[in-house]
Amino acid sequence: MSVKQRLMTLGRHIDEGEREHPEATGDFSGLLSDLAIAVKLIWREVSKAGLIEILGSTDRQNDSGDEIKKLDEFANETIYRAMDHGGHLCVMASEESQGLMKIPDRYPKGKYVLVYDPIDGSSNIDANVSIGSIFGIFRRVTPSGPGTEEDCLQSGYKLAAAAYVIYGSSTIFVYCTGKGVHGFTLDPSVGEFLLSHENMRIPKRGKTYSVNEGNYEKWDANVRNYVDYLKKDDPGTGRPYTSRYVGSLVADLHRNILHGGIFLYPGDKTYPEGKLRLVYECSPLSYIVEHAGGRASDGTGRILDIVPTCIHQRTKLFIGSEEDVKEAEDFIQGRRIA
Ligand code: P6P
């Protein structure tokens, strides 16, 4: 009989992880379990988004200037309401909320911080292209009481855990608490996330690159040199690479983790510092990719070493297979032109 994946639910996996830490209070496990409930509620709306009035825009913009979709708002509120009363968190921050999301006074304050992008890739919602959610969990740095901006503005290397969810042909919850990266696929018939990708490892090099080539004219020469290099036909080097870009960071990244490759969103004339958000998009995803054996850089340094100065701060992002990201850094830093 072929070796089958252990029949393991996300909840059991979280509990087993907690048992490896005798000092654990169950706080962390409770937090992750509450998060899984929120994700299932979002999945339910995403899976029928075309059937009910949840597509379309709220005619408002978030702090990033991005149009707020109704599903964005639903997901943002669902996560907040699932997480605000468990006593695990002292504060939250979200792409969809300008300022900090405080824990109501009537609820206890916990020792963790949640930063998140409730729906990433929302411009794809009405086209039925995969979208995602991204989560980062820090330990608080302030001693007690309501959490502050200081608790949210931590470098990614201080993350206690990170997770992403892809709502696509199937819904997959991928998380890491520092002991490997593990993926769980939702079985809608029982409403459980079942272990499907144990100990995910990203190949050291891939043959796929993901970038919005429509920005080519807006890039600097180093970025153009790198992308031109990937497209050059050079037998024996694996080039030309295949281009794959769906415009949903989580979906593009998940594919590159499974099969190898690089995702890049460099700076350009529109977004000189890069478009993607550091605190609740790039840091959590970089934490996961590094624990899967990959690399994540802003072109000159490690994403996880960046010290955020504001919640909605943007960054350039080169993330994926270690050798591909290192090669990209050589071009971005001008050490290579071909
Ligand atoms: P562009 C979606 O809006 C997003 O934040 C990421 O999910 C995605 O990778 C990127 O922006 C797409 O940006 O400029 O290529 O449309």
Side-chain angles (χ1 to χ4, degrees):
M1 182 174 78
S2 65
V3 176
K4 293 207 182 312
Q5 191 69 59
R6 290 186 295 156
L7 186 54
M8 169 77 74
T9 64
L10 175 59
R12 269 275 310 285
H13 197 270
I14 292 168
D15 291 344
E16 285 193 359
E18 180 195 325
R19 280 200 284 276
E20 289 172 17
H21 292 277
E23 76 287 358
T25 62
D27 207 8
F28 195 51
S29 306
L31 193 170
L32 289 171
S33 299
D34 290 349
L35 200 54
I37 292 167
V39 165
K40 289 179 191 175
L41 293 172
I42 295 168
W43 163 78
R44 184 189 60 191
E45 294 308 304
V46 169
S47 58
K48 61 185 183 187
L51 301 174
I52 59 171
E53 184 41 43
I54 194 155
L55 290 176
S57 166
T58 61
D59 298 328
R60 285 181 281 112
Q61 289 188 336
N62 62 19
D63 186 69
S64 309
D66 298 332
E67 188 183 63
I68 299 178
K69 303 279 190 179
K70 291 177 181 172
L71 196 54
D72 284 333
E73 194 161 72
F74 171 82
N76 193 42
E77 288 171 10
T78 299
I79 293 164
Y80 179 75
R81 287 178 49 229
M83 306 302 291
D84 69 349
H85 57 280
H88 310 304
L89 300 174
C90 64
V91 68
M92 293 182 248
S94 162
E95 172 169 52
E96 296 306 331
S97 298
Q98 180 171 355
L100 298 184
M101 304 173 84
K102 300 187 185 308
I103 303 300
D105 293 342
R106 63 186 180 282
Y107 296 139
K109 309 299 177 287
K111 58 189 175 187
Y112 294 101
V113 179
L114 178 68
V115 294
Y116 64 97
D117 182 358
I119 294 288
D120 174 72
S122 52
S123 57
N124 286 312
I125 290 172
D126 52 1
N128 211 26
V129 171
S130 298
I131 54 179
S133 301
I134 307 169
F135 305 98
I137 298 167
F138 291 100
R139 291 175 192 80
R140 70 179 302 167
V141 292
T142 54
S144 61
T148 67
E149 199 166 57
E150 182 189 0
D151 290 306
C152 299
L153 296 181
Q154 298 185 54
S155 297
Y157 75 86
K158 295 180 178 175
L159 280 162
Y164 65 80
V165 182
I166 298 182
Y167 310 95
S169 50
S170 61
T171 293
I172 296 179
F173 185 106
V174 174
Y175 89 114
C176 175
T177 60
K179 297 189 300 298
V181 176
H182 309 287
F184 296 77
T185 300
L186 182 65
D187 180 337
S189 62
V190 295
E192 282 287 0
F193 278 105
L194 302 178
L195 183 63
S196 54
H197 300 71
E198 188 166 21
N199 199 27
M200 295 166 71
R201 302 295 291 170
I202 186 169
K204 285 300 173 192
R205 181 176 283 277
K207 294 182 178 178
T208 300
Y209 72 103
S210 305
V211 69
N212 183 342
E213 300 230 28
N215 295 329
Y216 186 89
E217 293 299 328
K218 297 192 278 186
W219 294 335
D220 68 27
N222 291 343
V223 176
R224 293 187 197 177
N225 286 341
Y226 175 58
V227 174
D228 291 345
Y229 165 80
L230 294 180
K231 297 158 79 168
K232 214 171 281 325
D233 188 355
D234 188 345
T237 68
R239 289 179 292 129
Y241 275 24
T242 296
S243 171
R244 288 286 183 275
Y245 191 75
V246 298
S248 272
L249 170 58
V250 176
D252 281 318
L253 183 69
H254 183 69
R255 183 194 54 249
N256 287 338
I257 292 176
L258 293 181
H259 306 305
I262 183 169
F263 172 98
L264 55 152
Y265 208 110
D268 60 37
K269 290 188 181 120
T270 306
Y271 298 105
E273 75 281 22
K275 173 185 181 185
L276 301 175
R277 304 296 176 175
L278 173 64
V279 171
Y280 41 74
E281 288 178 346
C282 298
S283 282
L285 295 178
S286 299
Y287 175 90
I288 289 170
V289 162
E290 284 202 4
H291 278 93
R295 186 179 178 89
S297 163
D298 65 358
T300 56
R302 189 176 175 231
I303 290 287
L304 295 185
D305 289 338
I306 300 174
V307 180
T309 54
C310 89
I311 296 288
H312 300 291
Q313 175 173 336
R314 299 179 190 269
T315 180
K316 304 169 188 173
L317 180 66
F318 300 79
I319 188 171
S321 294
E322 184 180 27
E323 291 174 16
D324 285 301
V325 174
K326 282 181 176 174
E327 194 166 64
E329 289 170 324
D330 286 342
F331 279 86
I332 298 308
Q333 295 171 39
R335 290 193 293 271
R336 286 184 65 173
I337 57 172

